Amino acid sequence: MTDLAAFRDPASVVVVGASTNPAKWGHWLARGALLGAGRRSVHLVNARGGSVLGAVTVPSLADLPDTPDLAAFAVPAAALPAAVDEALAMGVKGLLVITAGVPRQEEMARKARAAGARLIGPNCLGLYDADTNLALAWGEFQAGSLAIVSQSGQLGSELSGLAAAAGIGVSRFVSVGDQADVVAHEILADLVDHDATGAVAVYLESFGDGERLLAALEALRLAGKPVLLLTIGTSRAAQDAARSHTGALTTSLDVVDAACRAAGALRVNTPAALVNAAQLVVRAPRVRGRRVAIVGDSGGQGALAADIATSAGLDVVAFPQPVRDSLRRHLPAGAAVANPVDLAGAGEQDIANYQRLVAVVTASEAVDAVLLTGYFGCYARDIPAQAGEEVEAARGMCAAAAAAGVPVAVHSMAEGTATITALRAGGAPTYLTVEAAVTAIATAAEIAALPVRGPAAPAGDVTTIAGMPPHGYDAARRLLVGAGVAFPPARLVHEERELAAAVAELRAPYALKAEWIEHKSEHGGVAIGLADLAAVHAAFAGMRDRLGPGGYVLEEMDTRPHAIEMIVGARRDPAFGPVVMVGAGGVEAELRHDSAVDLADLNRERALAMIRRLRCLPLLQGWRGRPAVDIEGLAEVILTVAGVMRACSDLLDLELNPVRVAPGGVVAVDALVTAAAPAKGAASPAGSRPGAGSGRSAAGCR
Amino acid sequence: MTDLAAFRDPASVVVVGASTNPAKWGHWLARGALLGAGRRSVHLVNARGGSVLGAVTVPSLADLPDTPDLAAFAVPAAALPAAVDEALAMGVKGLLVITAGVPRQEEMARKARAAGARLIGPNCLGLYDADTNLALAWGEFQAGSLAIVSQSGQLGSELSGLAAAAGIGVSRFVSVGDQADVVAHEILADLVDHDATGAVAVYLESFGDGERLLAALEALRLAGKPVLLLTIGTSRAAQDAARSHTGALTTSLDVVDAACRAAGALRVNTPAALVNAAQLVVRAPRVRGRRVAIVGDSGGQGALAADIATSAGLDVVAFPQPVRDSLRRHLPAGAAVANPVDLAGAGEQDIANYQRLVAVVTASEAVDAVLLTGYFGCYARDIPAQAGEEVEAARGMCAAAAAAGVPVAVHSMAEGTATITALRAGGAPTYLTVEAAVTAIATAAEIAALPVRGPAAPAGDVTTIAGMPPHGYDAARRLLVGAGVAFPPARLVHEERELAAAVAELRAPYALKAEWIEHKSEHGGVAIGLADLAAVHAAFAGMRDRLGPGGYVLEEMDTRPHAIEMIVGARRDPAFGPVVMVGAGGVEAELRHDSAVDLADLNRERALAMIRRLRCLPLLQGWRGRPAVDIEGLAEVILTVAGVMRACSDLLDLELNPVRVAPGGVVAVDALVTAAAPAKGAASPAGSRPGAGSGRSAAGCR
C-alpha cells in the first residue's frame, strides 16, 4: 500500500461539512460519496446533525463508529485546523481539503505527514476515480479512460466536461489545489499502474521538482499512457525583461516543451486540443507518421481538409498508382482518387462504399492515418431507413482500421446518431469540426514521434579558471576555449603601447572589441575589418576615448566564405535545471526568432535534432548552390556549451553569438556569461543551485 | 424586379422530379417547397403521378394550370434537357438545377438567357430563403441572419449546420453549383439589400471575374454586412512550380487575401472559424480594436485564456488604475484585477458580481472586447435554484455591453442552459471552447480594422521600349529606369574590348553580371567587389568562358552602409489582375518567407501598409542602433512596379531582387521580367489579358 492508497480506493470515507444545499461543496461531496456506498462505508459529518440526501449525519468526527481511511473537508477555513487535527488524532490516513483561504498550510501538511497521513489540497476541487466508484468533487463525471491531474480545479473540470462530450470520459481526476503536501508528480507517478487510465491530461502552472516530474512522465510513457500537458506562459513570458538574446529566445514555454519532449510528453495549447487528441489516442491505433489520407463525399470539404491538414504539418500524400486503381473500382468515372478521395456520389449508390474505400486506404503502406470528412453519419439522421446500413458501414470501417492498425478519424456534421456511437465504440474518434480531427491526428503523430530521451553525453572536463574576471568576453572566451570551443586567435590589451606586439602576432584583418561591453555592435564597442596597425591604432584611440579604459580584445577576423552566423546559448531554469539553445544568430537573432531548446543533459543525436528543427536548416545544408556548412561541428558546440553549463553550477547563463559555421568548421566570435554571486566569504559549493541574488562573478566549475 | 427575383420570392414554384423516397433529392425539394405553400402556389411533377407528402403531383410540366416563376429540377441527367426546354417554353423565369453530370451545360445556360430566364446550377444543393419561406434544398435550415453562398453544396450545408448550432441560423442559402449561368458574385450582389442578412459566408474555389466579385464584396461591406470567405489553395499552391522568388512568395491565397482586404472582406481558414466569428459579428456590438479584457472565476482558465488571446494577436491590456479600483470594490481582497480579472469566489457570493465586473470593464475606455470564461452558465445547470439569478446576471451583462458598445463573448462549459439562451438573445455570443471565443474576437477585430480601399495611385507614364530584348536584366533595368526606379550606373558590354571604356565611366568597386542569366549568383553569372580594370578583365574572361557570349552588365556596386536587401515583385493573377509584392529579399528570400501582397491598383497608403505588415519592419525602422532606412522610397518603388504592371499588359511578372534600401534612398541591383508571347504577326493590343502561351518577349506598354 503506497501512502496515496487512501485516495484511490478507501474502505471508508467521511465528508466533513456535508450539506443539504446544492450550492455548497459539502452537498456535492456527500452526493458523490454516497454513490460509492455500495463499495465502502460512507459517513457524513454536519455540525447541526440531521440528514443529507437521505443519509444520517453525525455532528462531529468523534461520533463516528470507526476511523475512516479518507476524510474530505468542506468546512469554513476557521474550522478547518481543529477538524484536521481531530481526523489525524483518529488515525485518518488521507485528507482531502476543499476549503480555500487556509492559513498556515505548511504547518498542517507537516502535521499530517508526522501522523503518517497525506493531504491533498487545500483549495482543491476534489478527486474522482471511476474504477473504485470514488467521487468527492464538484460536478458530474463520466467514467472513462482519461486521467486528469490539475493545478486548477475548474480547468480540470472543463477537461472532464470535454472528455464526457468526446465520449472518452474520465478514469481518475485529481485537483491538486495548493499542493501543501501531495504534489502533482506524486499523483502522476501513482497513475502508472492505474489500469483504467489510457491517457493523462495534466494542467500545471508551476513545476516544482522538475526531475521527479520528468521521471513520473517518463514512467507513464513507458507504461503506454501518453501524457498531454497544458500550462501557461505565453503572455507572462512577454513580461520577462530579457538581458541576453538567449533569454529572449528561450521563454519558459520553450523550456517546458523541451522538458516534455525529453520525457515523452507533449504540451498542447488548449483544453479542447488536449481532449481531441486524447480521444484519438485512447480509441484508435497508434498514428505512425504524418501521411494522411482524406476520404470524403464533397470535393469542397475534401480540399479544405487537405489545406487544413497541410497547414497542421500533415502530409496529404499522393497515393501510389495501385491504391488509386483499387479506389477506382468503387467509384464512378472521374472521381478524384489521388488524395483527397472524393466519393462523387458513390456513397449514395451504396453506403458500404465508404467502408470499402477506407479499407483500401488503411491497407495501403503509404498511409499513417485516415481522415473521413463529409456527410457520413448524416444518413442515419436524414434518411432513417438507411440508419442500419450506415451503422454497418461504420463497423466495417472500424474493423478495417483495426486490422490495418491505422487510425480513422471522422469529421461528421452529424452528432449523436447511431452511426457516431458505432464509430466511437469501434475505435474511430469523431469530431464536429474538421480542424479538431486534423489537429488530433497531428498531435497524435507528434506524440508517436517523440524521441526516446537517451543517455546524456558526458559533461566533459571543464577547467576552473582561477581569478576569472566577473564577466565579459575575455572570461567567457577563456572558459569556452578551455572547454574546446574554437575562437579566432586574439590578444587581450589594455594600453595603446601593447597594440604593435599584438598585431605582429596576428593575421589581418583584425577586429577590436571592448571586452566588457554587452551587445558591442550597438554600443560602438566593436570595430571590424581593421587592415593594419594604423587602423588598429585609430580604432583603439576612438574606442578608448568613448568607452574609457578596460580590456580590449584584438582578434583575427573570421573571413571564411560561406560562414553562417548562428547563436548557441544556455541558461538555468528554476525547475528543469540547465537548458541549451541554438538558433539563427547575429544581431538579428531576436527578429528571426528561429531557435530550438533542449535540456542540457542532451546527447549528440538530440543536439542534431535541435538543429534539424530550425527553419534556417536549409541554409546550413547548402542553400542555392552554396556549400553545406559544418553541422556536426555546430552540434559539438551545443554539447560543449551544455557540458559547461552542467559542470559550472554557478553559471546562470552563457551565450555564443555569433557562432560562425562554415564548411570547414565552427568558430565563435563573441561570448557572454553571467554567474551567480558567490556566497559571502565562501566558495560556492559545486552542484548547488545558484542563489536568488544573481550577479556577475567567477563561474565555479567542478 | 431584378433577373434573380424568381430565386428570392417566387409567386409559384414547381418541383420537377418530386419523390416519396426520403433518400432522393426530389423528396427534400418537395418537402421544402410545401413548407412555403402558405405563401405561394406549389406544384409537384412526378412522371408516375400519385401524391408526394400528401400533395397531388402531375405527370409533367405541361399539366400545370399556369406558369410557375421558379422550377427546381431533380431529374436524371438524361431527362433534364427536355424538362428544361419545356419549362423555358412555358415562360419559367428561374431554373434551379440540382441534377449533376449534366452535359452541354453552356448550351442550356445560353438557351435560358435567350428565353429571358436565369439558371442556378447544375450540380447544386439548392437554395433557401428564411424571409420568404423558400426552401428548395437538401437538409434542414434554421432561420437566422447568416447568408451562405457556396460553390460546394455540402460545405454550404456544413456552414448552415454550424450556424444553427451557434444559434444564428441562416437568412439565405445558395449553392451555386457549376455556375453555368448565375455566378456567385451575382448572388452576392443580390444580398446587398437583403434585410434579413447580417453577415455573409462565401465558399469559392474559383473567382471568375475578380473585378465584379470585388465590387459585390465592397457593396456588401458598405451595406454593413461583413463578408467572411473560405477558399482552398494551401496544398494546391505547393504544387505550383514557381520560377521566380515572387512566384514562390505570392501563393494564390496571398492574392485572395489581398483582394479580400481591398474589398473589405476577410478570408478565414475553417467553416467553424467562420461561423464563430459570424456569431459575434451578427450578435454583438462592433469590436473596435484588439484590447481584450478577460473576466473569469478560475485563475487557471483566465491565465490560459490570456495566453490563447495573446497568441491570437489580441492585447490582454493591463487595466488603468481606476478600472482596477472599481473592480476591487466587487471582489475579495487579493483577487486579480489587472487583467485577467479573477472573481476568486465573488460569483459564489453573489452571481450579480459577474454582471458588475463586466459592466466595469465594458465601461472602460481601455477595452475593445470582453471575454468571459469559466463557470458562468453552469449555475443554472448545477444549482437549479440559482438559475433565475444567473439569467438575470446574463441580461444585466448584455445590457451593460450594449450600453457601452463593447462586445462580450462568453466561453462557458455549459450548453443549452437558460443562461446561454439569455446571453445569445441579449447579444453575447457563446462558445464551448475558449479558442473559439478568442478567435471570434480576433477575427471580428480584423474585420473592423480592414482599411478602406481608397483610390489607386495613377499608373504613371511608362515608355514603351522599342525593340526591347526578350527578357533579362538589361531589358528589365531599362524598363524600370524609364519608370523611375533607381539602379546603379552601368554599361552593357558584349566584348572584352569594351571593358576599359566602361570602367573609365564608372566608379569602383564594380559588379559584372551576365544579363540573361536568372538567379545569377547561383549560376556563377555575377562577380562582385571588382576593384579595377584588371579584376574586371579577369571576371569577364572567366564568365565568358563558362557562360558564352552575350550581354554583360558592368555596374557600380551599391556599397552604402546600412542598406537592407528587400524584394519587390509583381505578377498577373487570372482573376484579380496585376498584384504586387514586397518582402525580405536577397538570395534567402524564400527561406525568410516574409512578404506582403496587394492588388496593383494600390496607393501610397496601402504600399506603406504592406511594408508595415512585414516581420522585418523593425529592421527597416532602425534595428539595434542602426539608422532607419528609406521606407517612403521603398513604398515609391512598390507603386512604380505596380504602375508598370498595370501599364504593360503583356508583362506576366516582374521582380526586383535585391532592392537595397538604405537611409539615403533605394537602389535596385537586380531585376527580372517575363512577358507574354505576342500574338503572331500582330502587336499585342494594350489592355488585353495575356495569352495562355506565356513566353519571353517584349513587354507591350501603353
Side-chain angles (χ1 to χ4, degrees):
Chain A
M1 180 163 154
T2 76
D3 61 352
L4 296 179
F7 301 106
R8 283 178 74 156
D9 191 12
S12 54
V13 298
V14 60
V15 173
V16 185
S19 167
T20 54
N21 181 352
K24 298 275 187 194
W25 282 90
H27 180 82
W28 286 89
L29 294 181
R31 190 169 168 272
L34 291 168
L35 292 173
R39 188 178 177 98
R40 61 181 62 88
S41 58
V42 175
H43 307 288
L44 306 179
V45 172
N46 180 308
R48 278 164 297 177
S51 81
V52 168
L53 291 159
V56 175
T57 69
V58 294
S60 86
L61 281 168
D63 302 308
L64 294 182
D66 49 24
T67 299
D69 287 349
L70 175 61
F73 298 87
V75 296
L80 183 70
V84 165
D85 285 347
E86 195 172 4
L88 291 176
M90 287 175 75
V92 171
K93 292 299 175 220
L95 310 169
L96 175 70
V97 183
I98 305 297
T99 310
V102 175
R104 295 192 302 281
Q105 305 187 356
E106 300 71 22
E107 191 189 321
M108 189 177 288
R110 253 196 318 274
K111 272 191 197 170
R113 279 195 302 269
R118 299 300 308 271
L119 181 151
I120 291 180
N123 190 23
C124 81
L125 191 131
L127 60 82
Y128 165 81
D129 191 295
D131 247 16
T132 65
N133 221 3
L134 180 69
L136 293 167
W138 186 288
E140 307 264 6
F141 293 86
Q142 181 184 305
S145 50
L146 181 67
I148 298 171
V149 179
S150 181
Q151 207 175 333
S152 155
Q154 200 160 290
L155 200 70
S157 176
E158 181 179 354
L159 287 165
S160 158
L162 291 167
I168 54 171
V170 176
S171 56
R172 188 162 166 76
F173 171 97
V174 183
S175 161
V176 295
D178 291 347
Q179 306 186 77
D181 175 30
V182 176
V183 297
H185 67 69
E186 295 179 87
I187 303 289
L188 289 167
D190 200 41
L191 285 167
V192 171
D193 66 352
H194 191 252
D195 292 340
T197 294
V200 181
V202 198
Y203 171 74
L204 290 177
E205 292 171 4
S206 56
F207 297 90
D209 183 338
E211 227 164 279
R212 293 188 63 191
L213 175 62
L214 294 192
L217 297 180
E218 281 192 277
L220 283 165
R221 188 210 197 168
L222 284 173
K225 302 176 198 298
V227 182
L228 293 152
L229 181 135
L230 280 169
T231 187
I232 50 177
T234 317
S235 30
R236 225 181 14 183
Q239 298 159 4
D240 286 1
R243 191 180 67 91
S244 66
H245 294 258
T246 307
L249 290 174
T250 59
T251 65
S252 53
L253 278 187
D254 291 324
V255 175
V256 174
D257 285 342
C260 282
R261 204 181 302 116
L266 189 73
R267 184 178 68 83
V268 293
N269 291 315
T270 72
L274 191 155
V275 171
N276 288 334
Q279 196 201 157
L280 194 151
V281 161
V282 302
R283 287 219 155 96
R286 189 159 167 277
V287 180
R288 288 167 303 190
R290 302 197 151 267
R291 298 168 309 166
V292 68
I294 296 170
V295 179
D297 39 31
S298 149
Q301 285 177 314
L304 206 56
D307 272 10
I308 295 166
T310 303
S311 296
L314 295 174
D315 178 11
V316 184
V317 63
F319 293 147
Q321 197 56 48
V323 175
R324 300 187 194 197
D325 294 341
S326 302
L327 290 170
R328 218 169 253 132
R329 279 199 285 278
H330 307 293
L331 291 171
V337 292
N339 197 16
V341 181
D342 181 2
L343 272 84
E348 280 70 49
Q349 294 303 313
D350 181 357
I351 297 180
N353 278 328
Y354 286 98
Q355 155 189 357
R356 295 185 187 114
L357 295 168
V358 166
V360 169
V361 293
T362 51
S364 156
E365 291 295 317
V367 168
D368 298 314
V370 179
L371 170 61
L372 178 67
T373 179
Y375 188 73
F376 193 79
C378 299
Y379 292 93
R381 181 192 69 190
D382 293 344
I383 316 164
Q386 297 187 8
E389 275 175 72
E390 196 181 39
V391 166
E392 270 319 296
R395 290 193 183 129
M397 215 179 271
C398 291
V406 169
V408 176
V410 180
H411 162 229
S412 175
M413 301 187 287
E415 234 184 323
T417 62
T419 311
I420 298 297
T421 307
L423 285 168
R424 289 180 163 189
T430 75
Y431 302 93
L432 266 175
T433 69
V434 63
E435 59 267 47
V438 162
T439 53
I441 294 173
T443 306
E446 258 187 277
I447 293 171
L450 284 168
V452 174
R453 191 173 187 177
D461 255 346
V462 180
T463 313
T464 307
I465 300 170
M468 178 167 136
H471 74 296
Y473 178 45
D474 186 58
R477 235 188 97 105
R478 285 163 61 201
L479 177 68
L480 290 158
V481 165
V485 177
F487 281 77
R491 295 291 177 274
L492 178 66
V493 298
H494 291 83
E495 302 299 337
E496 196 173 350
R497 60 170 189 276
E498 301 168 79
L499 293 177
V503 163
E505 288 170 358
L506 300 170
R507 206 180 48 198
Y510 311 99
L512 183 70
K513 303 173 181 177
E515 74 94 18
W516 71 96
I517 305 267
E518 294 168 18
H519 303 312
K520 298 175 184 57
S521 55
E522 278 170 69
H523 298 103
V526 61
I528 59 169
L530 307 174
D532 50 26
L533 181 60
V536 170
H537 263 288
F540 183 87
M543 228 182 265
R544 171 102 181 214
D545 260 12
R546 270 198 323 281
L547 306 171
Y552 288 85
V553 172
L554 185 72
E555 198 171 66
E556 289 185 5
M557 272 189 75
D558 178 44
T559 55
R560 294 170 304 157
H562 305 302
I564 293 166
E565 295 201 337
M566 303 294 289
I567 177 172
V568 176
R571 70 175 175 87
R572 211 167 286 279
D573 183 82
F576 298 107
V579 297
V580 67
M581 182 271 291
V582 64
V587 290
E588 292 171 27
E590 281 98 332
L591 204 62
R592 297 272 190 119
H593 224 288
D594 179 16
S595 62
V597 176
D598 202 348
L599 303 187
D601 68 346
L602 82 174
N603 52 30
R604 204 170 144 281
E605 186 38 54
R606 276 165 59 187
L608 287 168
M610 287 173 74
I611 298 170
R612 283 195 298 266
R613 288 201 296 275
L614 296 175
R615 288 196 308 278
C616 66
L617 175 65
L619 215 55
L620 301 171
Q621 291 172 323
W623 177 251
R624 292 201 162 241
R626 292 193 301 219
V629 299
D630 185 8
I631 290 176
E632 301 278 333
L634 179 58
E636 209 49 59
V637 172
I638 296 170
L639 287 176
T640 305
V641 165
V644 167
M645 205 64 186
R646 282 154 64 205
C648 304
S649 58
D650 287 350
L651 273 185
L652 289 185
D653 60 40
L654 185 166
E655 176 175 299
L656 307 184
N657 183 29
V659 173
R660 292 178 51 88
V661 188
V666 182
V667 175
V669 303
D670 203 356
L672 188 68
V673 291
T674 314
K680 222 167 192 174
S684 161
S688 73
R689 296 215 171 253
S694 79
R696 286 145 189 192
S697 100
C701 299
R702 68 140 193 264
Chain B
M1 177 161 153
T2 76
D3 59 353
L4 296 179
F7 300 105
R8 283 178 74 155
D9 191 12
S12 53
V13 299
V14 60
V15 174
V16 186
S19 168
T20 55
N21 181 351
K24 298 274 187 194
W25 282 90
H27 180 81
W28 287 88
L29 294 180
R31 191 169 167 274
L34 291 168
L35 292 173
R39 187 177 179 100
R40 60 182 62 87
S41 58
V42 175
H43 308 287
L44 305 179
V45 172
N46 179 308
R48 278 163 297 177
S51 81
V52 167
L53 292 159
V56 175
T57 69
V58 295
S60 85
L61 282 167
D63 301 308
L64 293 180
D66 50 25
T67 297
D69 286 349
L70 175 61
F73 299 86
V75 296
L80 184 70
V84 165
D85 284 347
E86 197 172 3
L88 291 175
M90 286 174 76
V92 171
K93 292 298 176 224
L95 309 169
L96 176 70
V97 183
I98 305 297
T99 310
V102 176
R104 295 193 302 281
Q105 307 187 356
E106 301 71 24
E107 190 189 321
M108 190 178 287
R110 253 195 319 275
K111 272 190 196 170
R113 279 193 302 268
R118 299 301 308 270
L119 181 150
I120 291 180
N123 189 23
C124 80
L125 191 133
L127 60 83
Y128 166 81
D129 192 295
D131 247 15
T132 65
N133 220 3
L134 181 70
L136 292 167
W138 186 287
E140 307 266 6
F141 293 86
Q142 181 185 306
S145 49
L146 181 67
I148 297 171
V149 180
S150 182
Q151 206 174 333
S152 155
Q154 199 159 291
L155 200 70
S157 178
E158 180 180 356
L159 287 165
S160 158
L162 290 166
I168 55 172
V170 175
S171 57
R172 188 163 165 76
F173 171 97
V174 183
S175 161
V176 295
D178 291 348
Q179 306 185 75
D181 175 31
V182 176
V183 296
H185 67 68
E186 295 179 87
I187 303 290
L188 288 167
D190 200 41
L191 285 167
V192 172
D193 66 353
H194 191 250
D195 291 338
T197 293
V200 181
V202 198
Y203 172 74
L204 290 176
E205 293 171 3
S206 56
F207 297 90
D209 183 338
E211 227 165 281
R212 292 189 64 193
L213 175 62
L214 294 191
L217 296 180
E218 281 192 277
L220 284 166
R221 184 205 200 173
L222 283 173
K225 302 177 199 294
V227 182
L228 293 151
L229 181 134
L230 279 169
T231 187
I232 51 176
T234 317
S235 32
R236 221 179 21 182
Q239 299 159 4
D240 286 0
R243 194 180 65 92
S244 65
H245 294 258
T246 308
L249 290 174
T250 58
T251 65
S252 52
L253 280 188
D254 291 326
V255 175
V256 174
D257 285 342
C260 281
R261 203 181 302 117
L266 189 72
R267 184 177 68 83
V268 292
N269 291 314
T270 71
L274 191 155
V275 171
N276 288 335
Q279 196 200 155
L280 195 151
V281 161
V282 302
R283 286 218 155 97
R286 189 161 169 276
V287 179
R288 287 167 304 191
R290 303 197 150 267
R291 298 168 308 166
V292 67
I294 296 170
V295 178
D297 39 31
S298 149
Q301 286 177 314
L304 206 57
D307 272 9
I308 295 167
T310 303
S311 296
L314 294 175
D315 178 10
V316 183
V317 62
F319 293 147
Q321 197 56 46
V323 175
R324 300 186 194 197
D325 294 341
S326 303
L327 290 169
R328 219 169 253 131
R329 280 198 283 280
H330 308 293
L331 291 171
V337 293
N339 197 15
V341 181
D342 181 3
L343 271 83
E348 280 69 49
Q349 294 303 315
D350 181 358
I351 297 182
N353 278 327
Y354 286 99
Q355 155 188 357
R356 294 185 188 113
L357 294 168
V358 166
V360 169
V361 293
T362 51
S364 156
E365 290 296 318
V367 167
D368 298 314
V370 178
L371 170 62
L372 178 67
T373 179
Y375 189 74
F376 194 79
C378 299
Y379 292 92
R381 180 193 70 190
D382 293 343
I383 316 165
Q386 297 186 6
E389 276 175 71
E390 196 181 39
V391 167
E392 269 321 294
R395 289 193 184 129
M397 215 178 273
C398 292
V406 169
V408 177
V410 180
H411 162 229
S412 176
M413 302 186 285
E415 233 183 325
T417 62
T419 311
I420 299 296
T421 307
L423 285 168
R424 289 180 164 187
T430 74
Y431 303 93
L432 268 175
T433 69
V434 64
E435 58 267 46
V438 162
T439 53
I441 294 172
T443 305
E446 259 186 277
I447 293 172
L450 284 167
V452 174
R453 190 171 186 176
D461 255 346
V462 180
T463 313
T464 306
I465 300 171
M468 177 166 135
H471 75 297
Y473 178 44
D474 186 59
R477 237 188 94 106
R478 286 164 60 201
L479 177 68
L480 290 157
V481 165
V485 177
F487 280 76
R491 296 291 177 274
L492 178 67
V493 297
H494 291 83
E495 303 298 338
E496 198 173 351
R497 60 171 190 277
E498 301 168 80
L499 293 176
V503 163
E505 288 171 357
L506 300 170
R507 206 180 48 196
Y510 311 100
L512 183 69
K513 302 173 180 177
E515 74 94 17
W516 71 97
I517 306 268
E518 293 169 16
H519 303 312
K520 297 176 185 59
S521 54
E522 277 169 72
H523 298 103
V526 60
I528 59 169
L530 307 174
D532 50 27
L533 180 59
V536 171
H537 262 291
F540 184 86
M543 228 182 266
R544 172 102 181 213
D545 261 10
R546 271 197 323 280
L547 306 171
Y552 289 85
V553 172
L554 185 73
E555 197 170 67
E556 289 185 6
M557 272 188 76
D558 178 43
T559 55
R560 296 171 305 157
H562 305 301
I564 293 166
E565 295 200 338
M566 302 295 289
I567 178 172
V568 176
R571 69 176 177 84
R572 210 166 287 280
D573 183 82
F576 298 108
V579 298
V580 67
M581 182 271 294
V582 63
V587 289
E588 292 170 29
E590 281 99 331
L591 205 61
R592 299 272 191 120
H593 224 287
D594 178 17
S595 63
V597 175
D598 202 349
L599 303 187
D601 68 345
L602 81 177
N603 52 29
R604 205 172 143 280
E605 185 39 53
R606 275 166 59 189
L608 287 168
M610 288 173 74
I611 298 170
R612 283 195 298 268
R613 288 202 296 274
L614 297 174
R615 289 195 307 276
C616 68
L617 175 65
L619 215 55
L620 302 171
Q621 291 172 322
W623 177 251
R624 293 201 162 242
R626 292 194 301 219
V629 299
D630 184 9
I631 290 177
E632 302 277 334
L634 178 59
E636 209 48 60
V637 171
I638 297 170
L639 287 175
T640 304
V641 164
V644 167
M645 205 65 186
R646 283 155 62 204
C648 303
S649 59
D650 287 350
L651 273 185
L652 290 185
D653 61 41
L654 185 166
E655 174 176 301
L656 308 183
N657 183 28
V659 174
R660 291 178 52 87
V661 187
V666 183
V667 174
V669 302
D670 203 356
L672 188 69
V673 292
T674 314
K680 222 165 190 173
S684 159
S688 72
R689 295 215 172 254
S694 80
R696 286 143 189 195
S697 100
C701 299
R702 72 141 194 264

